[in-house]
Structure formats: structure tokens, C-alpha cells
């Protein structure tokens, strides 16, 4: 397919990274296959995660087609960009359509990006994840590659003001060992293994982060920060969902 929008967007992002002197570290980029389909499964801590998760595949010369909620595609600014980059809209009322589109892309040799937690983690830990990524990888017979992001929450996350021009922010992007689930596997057990690997990758990134002050909002509670605990975050998510339901 023609790539008119994606390459300029990547170039613009890299220019911005340089201007802001972001300290971006990518570990394990060689684990992204240079050809063929793959499901890239990332944690989710920022509204900008698709940019940085996609950056992990850049050394392999791959463009990642991210699955994102339909509302992003409906926006007058982000919508044309998302469609131009051939990302995949997800309408939660009609999930089968998004699954089918992702499967088609995978079988065509594309890398599809998935945020398995579905929503941003306010606690900056790994939330419960569903087995959709596993089912996609099995149906397309492609590897599933876990990836953790850390530092992106400092730029723009849920419940916090945007700080897009903040300079010198370290960003850690860590690619884990590919997983190859097969038909007949216990999908829930494989999903549990995926979550465990995401937790280990994220914990490694958090503990090796170059700036770890005590008591900051963007640090998880168990590492001395003031982010909500997973239980508090779950209660906040439930309250938000209830408010949305009531309109």
C-alpha cells in the first residue's frame, strides 16, 4: 500500500525528539522481525505510546499498524493522520470488525500494534489484559512480541496536563522475547505468561531509569512515587466508566 503519510510523520517525530533532547533508549530492537506479520503488544501509560512503540520497529524498517479506539479516527485532526497511516479503528460495540481487519493485515505481512490493557494504566503498572492479542497471533500464525514503555507518561497521560515541550526526558523502550502461541494452547494461560513478561520488562525499565526521585506523581507507588495504587486506579476507572455511561 502507498505510504504517503507515515514516513513524514516519523521524520517529524524524530526531529521533535532531537529538538527536545529526549534520551530515548531502545533495547531488543533486533527481536522485531524484518519481514512477515507480527503482533506487537505494549503496555499503555500515555496518549503518545503509539509513537514510541512504533519507534521500536523502526530499526527493522517496519511500520506498525496500531489498533486504536474509533473516537481517535473521528477527530478532525488525528483522524486523517490515523487513516493515512493505515491504523485500525476499534469500535467496542463491533469488535469483530476490528479483529478481522487486524487479521487481514497480519496475514498480509504487517506488524499490528496492540495495547492489551485497552486503556491507560493510571498506576503505571500492568493492568489485567484480555486474550485478544493471543487469539490474533494464533489465527494469523505469527509471533507475538511484548514491549514495555517507560517515561512517556511524563509527557501526556490520563488526568495530567500535557507537557509535550518538556526537555531532556528519558524514554525507555524495551522489546521482549517473541512468543509463538499455537492452536490448542490455553489462551488464558498464554495471556498470563504475556502479562508476566510485560511486568518483568516494565519493572526492569522502571528500576534502571536514570532519574528516580522520590515522591513524584509519575512513579508507581511501590517504587516510592505517588501514582494511584492498582486498586485506587481501578476504582477511578470504574467511576469514569459509570459517568460516561450516564452521559
Amino acid at each position: 500500500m502507498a505510504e504517503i503519510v507515515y514516513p513524514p510523520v516519523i521524520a517529524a517525530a524524530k526531529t521533535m525528539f532531537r529538538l527536545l533532547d529526549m534520551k530515548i533508549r531502545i533495547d531488543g530492537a533486533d527481536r522485531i522481525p524484518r519481514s512477515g506479520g507480527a503482533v506487537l503488544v505494549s503496555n499503555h501509560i500515555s496518549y503518545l505510546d503509539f509513537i514510541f512503540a512504533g519507534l521500536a520497529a523502526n530499526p527493522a524498517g517496519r511500520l506498525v499498524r496500531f489498533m486504536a479506539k474509533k473516537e481517535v479516527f473521528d477527530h478532525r485532526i488525528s483522524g486523517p493522520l490515523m487513516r493515512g497511516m493505515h491504523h485500525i479503528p476499534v469500535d467496542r460495540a463491533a469488535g469483530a470488525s476490528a479483529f478481522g481487519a487486524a487479521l487481514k493485515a497480519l496475514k498480509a505481512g504487517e506488524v499490528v500494534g496492540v495495547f492489551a490493557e485497552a486503556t491507560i494504566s493510571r498506576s503505571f503498572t500492568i493492568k489485567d489484559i484480555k486474550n485478544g492479542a493471543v487469539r490474533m497471533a494464533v489465527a494469523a500464525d505469527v509471533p507475538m512480541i511484548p514491549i514495555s514503555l517507560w517515561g512517556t507518561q511524563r509527557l501526556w497521560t490520563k488526568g495530567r496536563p500535557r507537557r509535550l515541550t518538556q526537555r531532556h526526558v528519558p524514554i525507555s523502550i524495551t522489546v521482549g522475547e517473541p512468543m509463538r502461541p499455537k492452536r490448542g494452547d490455553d489462551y488464558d494461560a498464554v495471556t498470563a505468561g504475556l502479562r508476566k513478561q510485560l511486568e518483568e520488562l516494565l519493572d526492569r525499565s522502571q528500576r534502571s531509569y536514570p532519574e528516580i526521585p522520590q515522591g513524584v506523581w509519575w512513579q508507581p507507588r511501590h517504587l516510592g512515587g505517588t501514582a494511584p495504587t492498582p486498586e485506587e486506579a481501578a476504582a477511578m476507572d470504574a467511576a469514569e466508566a459509570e459517568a460516561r455511561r450516564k452521559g
Side-chain angles (χ1 to χ4, degrees), residues 25 35 44 53 55 92 112 154 178 199 247:
R25 186 187 72 197
S35 63
H44 201 8
L55 199 62
R92 289 173 183 169
V112 171
R154 297 178 61 180
E199 287 176 331

Side-chain angles (χ1 to χ4, degrees), residues 150-168:
W150 187 242
T152 61
Q153 78 281 13
R154 297 178 61 180
L155 303 174
W156 188 15
T157 193
K158 185 174 285 189
R160 291 284 174 175
R162 284 174 288 188
R163 304 184 67 185
L164 302 180
T165 58
Q166 187 176 185
R167 293 176 57 80
H168 317 302

